[in-house]
């Protein structure tokens, strides 16, 4: 996320809720419609995709904070060979399932509010 102020805010989960996410998305949409993405500090490459992933990560953290009795995480399974990508992916569906299965089997004291790249926890902020 090129926008330094937004990047700083993303590291502080305590200031985020659904209303704030919606406000950021409305700002993004306004900037997109008016051709101000670069000027406003949004990603230049695949901006809608990048912002959608940012929101998924934020909402994961919000849900984890709201429901501490649950393990709430998000995972990128990798480039999995499926019909959606014309079977061009480099991973088999079985390989792509490793992360989601691992997260579904986490113990009660396992990580929550985290992002996993396949089976590895990654700090996205």
């Amino acid at each position: 996320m090129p926008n330094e102020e937004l990047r700083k805010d993303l590291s502080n989960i305590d200031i985020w809720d659904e209303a704030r996410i919606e406000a950021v998305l409305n700002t993004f949409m306004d900037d997109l419609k008016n051709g101000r993405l670069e000027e406003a500090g949004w990603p230049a490459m695949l901006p809608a995709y990048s912002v959608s992933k940012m929101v998924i990560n934020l909402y994961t953290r919000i849900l984890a904070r709201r429901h501490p009795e649950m393990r709430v995480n998000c995972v990128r399974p990798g480039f999995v060979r499926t019909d959606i990508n014309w079977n061009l992916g480099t991973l088999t569906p079985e390989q792509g399932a490793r992360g989601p299965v691992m997260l579904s089997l986490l113990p009660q004291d396992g990580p929550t509010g985290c992002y996993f790249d396949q089976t590895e926890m990654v700090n996205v902020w």
Side-chain angles (χ1 to χ4, degrees), residues 31-99:
D31 290 341
L32 177 67
K33 289 176 187 174
N34 292 297
R36 295 189 307 252
L37 289 181
E38 187 175 342
E39 169 189 333
W42 297 105
M45 199 153 163
L46 301 171
Y49 179 81
S50 299
V51 170
S52 74
K53 295 305 172 192
M54 174 193 76
V55 169
I56 288 170
N57 284 300
L58 274 173
Y59 197 56
T60 296
R61 294 165 63 211
I62 289 169
L63 289 175
R65 180 185 67 207
R66 190 175 295 156
H67 300 286
E69 73 283 2
M70 297 174 65
R71 304 299 89 194
V72 182
N73 295 290
C74 54
V75 61
R76 183 188 80 84
F79 190 36
V80 180
R81 199 173 311 126
T82 64
D83 291 345
I84 200 167
N85 63 24
W86 301 278
N87 292 303
L88 296 173
T90 57
L91 300 174
T92 66
E94 292 79 11
Q95 291 168 319
R98 287 182 303 189

